[in-house]
Amino acid sequence: MPAIVIVGAQWGDEGKGKATDLMGDSVDFVVRYQGGNNAGHTVVIGEESYALHLLPSGVLSPHSVPVIGNGVVIDPGVLIKEIGDIQARGVSCERLLISANAHLIMPHHVSLDKVTERYLGQARIGTTGRGIGPAYSDKVARTGIRVQDLFDPAILRQKLELVLREKNQVLTKVYNRRGIDAGRVADEYLEYGKRLASYVADTSLILNQALEEDKVVLLEGAQATLLDVDHGTYPFVTSSSPTAGGACVGSGLGPTRITKVLGIVKAYTTRVGAGPFPTELTDEVGEWLRKTGGEYGVTTGRERRTGWFDAVIARYATRVNGVTDYFITKLDVLSGLEKVPVCTGYEIDGVVRADVPMTQTEFHHAKPVYEYFDGWWEDISNAKSLSELPANARAYVLALADMIGAPVAAIGVGPRRDQTIQLRPLI
Ligand code: GDP
Ligand code: IMO
Ligand code: MG
């Protein structure tokens, strides 16, 4: 009964889509367990590149069943468009399953996400503006609307009227925006319900049955450890639990089912949006990393902030996720550097520490302490084994493995599936 969690170990965009796709042919179910269309997962197959937002990356593997779990927040208009777009490229979505318990992103969530960010000014989080935070807030406040509500028009209208009574006051009186018409939204969403109905299922039941039958279930995280609402750099985080524990809550599988936690980590670091980032490079080297690594957001097109590998946060990710194996991606991007710095600790108020500090204030004051590794110049994008890597690239990866506290199962040397050096079985 293998149930494997894929989790981002930094601030997102580590290459989770590629890792999921790589395992796709040996996996029966690929489950998204949190987040929404704030995610952007790129999968490159041959000459084709796919950018997935709500659909699990498993949709690209003909043998696996893609599942949108209860922990995801779904913007149904966006999902229907994503299904249509990918089907137009010849990818079938017929096997897709959507949890009846997943919450919906409603028009007022998107409006509130945008106006609250504007209201925060300099203190803004830099959200993707997709309504993620407000949708999760309503879920926890018990005023959310779920997929199953789309099949009970009376309940949908009643819930919408109730919630909009309050939200419209906020939108019009606090933020000076137009109110939202409950009847119009209900009609629009009931139409979405008709189009999504055939996919809706009791996904927790199906996944547990699959594990009983020894099927392989892959739980594909979105966002990442340092964006986790509990374990990330709060308040500069997303509003869900991307860490491995969230995979159970967001899919309806018990913790004893999880057999492996695969951490995905870039050979350097990036971040989109605001918040602390100790190893950030704001100079031309940072710009070089951005250009060489193609570090522009898949969802918003924003420039990603770039910096050196931070072993402090990677070790932290190992700890809070119980990572059993790592996939180090984008090693190829680092070719051509004289020296490759790695942050091994933080200096905070004159004291060097090896762990993520307890408070956010200390994190904001953290200055990276670097160890410098010799660089390599060769193009490594065709390397198929560790021995085909230049000695310095090999030494760099082995040093990272040592620092982060879990073995390296695979190394990415390019965006394509076959540009992967596999050291240990991924399943
Ligand atoms: P995700 O959100 O974690 O799925 O990652 P993104 O898709 O947002 O960003 C990762 C980017 O790096 C994508 O453009 C991938 O195609 C690309 N990528 C993944 N692994 C590698 C790798 O090993 N080398 C290179 N050069 N690119 C990679
Ligand atoms: P994937 O799955 C990188 C960031 C946003 C912002 C913060 C909160 O592709 O790794 P939100 O819209 O979620 O309320 O924004 O989280 N963020 C991501 N950064 N990759 C992502 O997803 C992200 N999803 C959200 O930039 O700082
Ligand atoms: Mg991404």
Side-chain angles (χ1 to χ4, degrees), residues 11-14 16 38-41 113 125-130 132-133 221-223 227 237-239 271-274 302:
W11 277 285
D13 306 321
E14 296 91 349
K16 298 176 291 293
N38 48 350
H41 296 177
D113 193 359
I125 292 157
T127 72
T128 59
R130 302 298 194 265
I132 306 297
Q223 290 80 52
L227 288 173
V237 292
T238 192
S239 297
R271 166 161 214 177
V272 197
R302 287 181 292 179

Side-chain angles (χ1 to χ4, degrees), residues 54-129:
L54 265 165
L55 288 171
S57 301
V59 74
L60 298 168
S61 306
H63 306 295
S64 53
V65 178
V67 179
I68 299 180
N70 57 276
V72 174
V73 286
I74 302 173
D75 186 324
V78 171
L79 178 58
I80 288 166
K81 180 164 185 318
E82 194 170 339
I83 292 172
D85 287 351
I86 205 159
Q87 293 203 137
R89 294 178 69 181
V91 176
S92 168
C93 289
E94 261 174 36
R95 295 152 289 129
L96 176 68
L97 298 176
I98 302 172
S99 167
N101 286 351
H103 278 246
L104 295 170
I105 296 181
M106 307 302 292
H108 61 271
H109 295 140
V110 181
S111 298
L112 285 167
D113 193 359
K114 291 185 175 148
V115 289
T116 49
E117 275 284 279
R118 213 170 303 150
Y119 203 70
L120 282 170
Q122 289 293 339
R124 69 182 171 272
I125 292 157
T127 72
T128 59

